[in-house]
mmCIF file of all heavy atoms in Angstrom:
data_model
loop_
_atom_site.group_PDB
_atom_site.id
_atom_site.type_symbol
_atom_site.label_atom_id
_atom_site.label_comp_id
_atom_site.label_asym_id
_atom_site.label_seq_id
_atom_site.Cartn_x
_atom_site.Cartn_y
_atom_site.Cartn_z
ATOM 1 N N HIS S 29 -112.456 201.059 77.775
ATOM 2 C CA HIS S 29 -112.071 199.798 78.358
ATOM 3 C C HIS S 29 -112.041 199.858 79.889
ATOM 4 O O HIS S 29 -111.865 198.855 80.551
ATOM 5 C CB HIS S 29 -110.671 199.387 77.885
ATOM 6 C CG HIS S 29 -109.562 200.294 78.318
ATOM 7 N ND1 HIS S 29 -109.491 201.598 77.940
ATOM 8 C CD2 HIS S 29 -108.478 200.057 79.122
ATOM 9 C CE1 HIS S 29 -108.420 202.160 78.501
ATOM 10 N NE2 HIS S 29 -107.803 201.212 79.209
ATOM 11 N N LEU S 30 -112.245 201.069 80.456
ATOM 12 C CA LEU S 30 -112.247 201.232 81.904
ATOM 13 C C LEU S 30 -113.635 201.663 82.420
ATOM 14 O O LEU S 30 -113.778 202.276 83.477
ATOM 15 C CB LEU S 30 -111.193 202.242 82.331
ATOM 16 C CG LEU S 30 -109.725 201.811 82.116
ATOM 17 C CD1 LEU S 30 -108.768 202.963 82.491
ATOM 18 C CD2 LEU S 30 -109.412 200.566 82.921
ATOM 19 N N ASP S 31 -114.646 201.284 81.693
ATOM 20 C CA ASP S 31 -116.008 201.539 82.178
ATOM 21 C C ASP S 31 -116.298 200.763 83.478
ATOM 22 O O ASP S 31 -117.115 201.147 84.307
ATOM 23 C CB ASP S 31 -117.082 201.170 81.129
ATOM 24 C CG ASP S 31 -117.189 202.238 80.061
ATOM 25 O OD1 ASP S 31 -116.542 203.297 80.215
ATOM 26 O OD2 ASP S 31 -117.925 202.006 79.082
ATOM 27 N N LYS S 32 -115.545 199.650 83.667
ATOM 28 C CA LYS S 32 -115.525 198.963 84.930
ATOM 29 C C LYS S 32 -114.085 198.724 85.321
ATOM 30 O O LYS S 32 -113.250 198.475 84.424
ATOM 31 C CB LYS S 32 -116.283 197.603 84.822
ATOM 32 C CG LYS S 32 -117.818 197.775 84.857
ATOM 33 C CD LYS S 32 -118.446 196.401 85.040
ATOM 34 C CE LYS S 32 -119.994 196.532 85.144
ATOM 35 N NZ LYS S 32 -120.637 195.206 85.378
ATOM 36 N N ARG S 33 -113.855 198.738 86.615
ATOM 37 C CA ARG S 33 -112.482 198.599 87.107
ATOM 38 C C ARG S 33 -112.471 197.626 88.324
ATOM 39 O O ARG S 33 -113.466 197.432 88.998
ATOM 40 C CB ARG S 33 -111.956 199.943 87.606
ATOM 41 C CG ARG S 33 -111.882 201.048 86.567
ATOM 42 C CD ARG S 33 -111.586 202.394 87.245
ATOM 43 N NE ARG S 33 -111.634 203.492 86.305
ATOM 44 C CZ ARG S 33 -110.557 204.072 85.754
ATOM 45 N NH1 ARG S 33 -109.347 203.586 86.048
ATOM 46 N NH2 ARG S 33 -110.628 205.070 84.892
ATOM 47 N N PRO S 34 -111.304 197.053 88.563
ATOM 48 C CA PRO S 34 -111.135 196.326 89.823
ATOM 49 C C PRO S 34 -111.114 197.348 90.965
ATOM 50 O O PRO S 34 -111.024 198.562 90.721
ATOM 51 C CB PRO S 34 -109.737 195.663 89.693
ATOM 52 C CG PRO S 34 -109.341 195.823 88.251
ATOM 53 C CD PRO S 34 -110.084 197.013 87.761
ATOM 54 N N ALA S 35 -111.175 196.873 92.178
ATOM 55 C CA ALA S 35 -111.195 197.751 93.336
ATOM 56 C C ALA S 35 -110.324 197.238 94.430
ATOM 57 O O ALA S 35 -110.039 196.025 94.539
ATOM 58 C CB ALA S 35 -112.635 197.953 93.845
ATOM 59 N N VAL S 36 -109.883 198.159 95.282
ATOM 60 C CA VAL S 36 -109.146 197.815 96.515
ATOM 61 C C VAL S 36 -109.899 198.368 97.701
ATOM 62 O O VAL S 36 -110.395 199.514 97.674
ATOM 63 C CB VAL S 36 -107.704 198.285 96.457
ATOM 64 C CG1 VAL S 36 -106.884 197.551 95.390
ATOM 65 C CG2 VAL S 36 -107.620 199.804 96.277
ATOM 66 N N LEU S 37 -109.963 197.610 98.791
ATOM 67 C CA LEU S 37 -110.515 198.031 100.057
ATOM 68 C C LEU S 37 -109.409 198.109 101.085
ATOM 69 O O LEU S 37 -108.783 197.067 101.383
ATOM 70 C CB LEU S 37 -111.602 197.062 100.494
ATOM 71 C CG LEU S 37 -112.202 197.196 101.877
ATOM 72 C CD1 LEU S 37 -112.778 198.609 102.101
ATOM 73 C CD2 LEU S 37 -113.235 196.136 102.170
ATOM 74 N N VAL S 38 -109.109 199.282 101.557
ATOM 75 C CA VAL S 38 -107.927 199.533 102.399
ATOM 76 C C VAL S 38 -108.306 199.502 103.888
ATOM 77 O O VAL S 38 -109.230 200.206 104.295
ATOM 78 C CB VAL S 38 -107.269 200.883 102.048
ATOM 79 C CG1 VAL S 38 -106.028 201.102 102.887
ATOM 80 C CG2 VAL S 38 -106.924 200.935 100.555
ATOM 81 N N PHE S 39 -107.537 198.715 104.664
ATOM 82 C CA PHE S 39 -107.667 198.737 106.160
ATOM 83 C C PHE S 39 -106.373 199.337 106.718
ATOM 84 O O PHE S 39 -105.328 198.656 106.762
ATOM 85 C CB PHE S 39 -107.820 197.271 106.644
ATOM 86 C CG PHE S 39 -108.988 196.558 106.086
ATOM 87 C CD1 PHE S 39 -108.956 195.154 105.974
ATOM 88 C CD2 PHE S 39 -110.205 197.195 105.773
ATOM 89 C CE1 PHE S 39 -110.034 194.450 105.482
ATOM 90 C CE2 PHE S 39 -111.253 196.495 105.250
ATOM 91 C CZ PHE S 39 -111.200 195.108 105.104
ATOM 92 N N PRO S 40 -106.399 200.584 107.175
ATOM 93 C CA PRO S 40 -105.202 201.143 107.768
ATOM 94 C C PRO S 40 -104.782 200.433 109.064
ATOM 95 O O PRO S 40 -105.591 199.726 109.683
ATOM 96 C CB PRO S 40 -105.640 202.584 108.124
ATOM 97 C CG PRO S 40 -106.905 202.796 107.340
ATOM 98 C CD PRO S 40 -107.525 201.482 107.191
ATOM 99 N N GLY S 41 -103.556 200.561 109.447
ATOM 100 C CA GLY S 41 -103.072 200.029 110.720
ATOM 101 C C GLY S 41 -103.360 201.011 111.863
ATOM 102 O O GLY S 41 -104.008 202.022 111.699
#
Side-chain angles (χ1 to χ4, degrees):
H29 66 297
L30 293 176
D31 282 355
K32 284 192 176 182
R33 300 170 184 261
V36 294
L37 171 58
V38 181
F39 302 148

